[in-house]
Amino acid sequence: MSFLDPASGKMEKLVVGKAPFAIAEGRNHRAYVSTAEGVAVIDTKLRTRLALVPYQANVGKPNFGEYRSGGMGIAVSPDGKFAYIGVYLSGGKSQLEILDTEKLTMTGRVPVGVRPFDVVTSLDGREVYSIDHDGYTVTAVDPFALKGRTLEAAPFGKGGFEKPHYAAVRSDGRLLLPYQGRGLVVLDPKSGNYTTEPLTGNTHQEGVTLTPDGTQLLIVGIGSAGSATGKPNLTVLDVNTYAEKILPLSRMHQMVASSADGRYAYLTGGVTYADTGWNGMTVVDLSAGTTREFELPDYPLDVQLLTK
């Protein structure tokens, strides 16, 4: 895990575990990283690893690559008391595991769909959503009753690259999931119904994030794959009108974070798809459309803007 000051380019590095996939920030200067071995608990102020909590699932010997077993998507409950981790097991099985952030132990698990790329929570924390990449589904989990509901999320059918990857939760509680620069699924998790709004990016879409004011969705497109034939870009989408602003990019990226004022986007160069990324990060000025790059080691995959 690298701590980067985007203004100065200064970087500090911390070993968190083998094959880290995603990071989620909690309260009291804590962050949680899903790795192939367990969940790394990080003190972001002291920049030390406090613990590596093993999964309840037997993930086997740590491996690397797109299909390695272990933690994938991760999220922290709004009250900071729990972290939720999507755990993939080679052979198709996956589960959502629950970490008590005070006791630093796993307290439960719920079956979910295949390869949970992302995990997000409802605004009130009563449900957790696993974005099941290879299942073409979203699993809505009650983390207290340890029960799940499978919601279909396949606007272009089940097959090829039209899979759900990452999601954001809009202020009305609906999930926003982009597909291939072709369509944005607006999913009501209560009913399981969704609509598909048109997108025009024509790019294989991966990471998403909302700007802090909740009005714009930033969507990373890595370029051509499957039905998407265009080049890498960043879509800036109005979440109410669905108006798009598409900013071209010269390189592939996977994940995105927004600056606190919503002026800049930070994109990671590490990409899961066919090992096609690079060792660095791009900063995008969302108004001017200009970019600048940083070199970062170790194929950076996820990114969070840490609060002070």
Side-chain angles (χ1 to χ4, degrees), residues 25-47:
E25 187 183 13
R27 296 187 175 185
N28 302 318
H29 304 290
R30 293 283 181 93
Y32 304 89
V33 181
S34 58
T35 79
E37 302 172 282
V39 177
V41 182
I42 309 302
D43 185 316
T44 60
K45 190 173 184 178
L46 298 177
R47 299 183 181 178

Side-chain angles (χ1 to χ4, degrees), residues 119-265:
V119 173
V120 294
T121 71
S122 63
L123 300 178
D124 60 10
R126 294 182 180 178
E127 280 198 316
V128 183
Y129 307 112
S130 168
I131 312 305
D132 308 324
H133 180 268
D134 286 16
Y136 297 86
T137 58
V138 172
T139 305
V141 174
D142 181 330
F144 306 103
L146 298 181
K147 294 182 179 180
R149 297 180 293 119
T150 300
L151 311 177
E152 294 296 323
F156 304 107
K158 294 184 178 182
F161 289 84
E162 282 73 10
K163 301 177 180 182
H165 287 78
Y166 298 90
V169 180
R170 198 167 61 180
S171 61
D172 61 0
R174 284 170 169 76
L175 275 66
L176 306 178
L177 303 101
Y179 291 72
Q180 294 287 86
R182 295 178 59 194
L184 178 79
V185 163
V186 182
L187 172 64
D188 180 353
K190 292 183 178 180
S191 67
N193 297 326
Y194 66 83
T195 59
T196 306
E197 303 294 335
L199 295 175
T200 63
N202 187 27
T203 187
H204 185 64
Q205 290 176 319
E206 298 271 356
V208 303
T209 194
L210 288 168
T211 52
D213 63 7
T215 63
Q216 294 180 314
L217 182 70
L218 308 180
I219 311 171
V220 178
I222 69 170
S224 62
S227 61
T229 59
K231 295 181 178 181
N233 60 42
L234 177 69
T235 294
V236 183
L237 183 78
D238 186 301
V239 300
N240 296 309
T241 67
Y242 305 114
E244 294 174 280
K245 179 181 179 181
I246 299 176
L247 305 176
L249 299 170
S250 60
R251 293 183 186 253
M252 288 184 170
H253 303 82
Q254 177 95 3
M255 296 298 289
V256 57
S258 171
S259 64
D261 58 10
R263 292 179 58 192
Y264 300 100

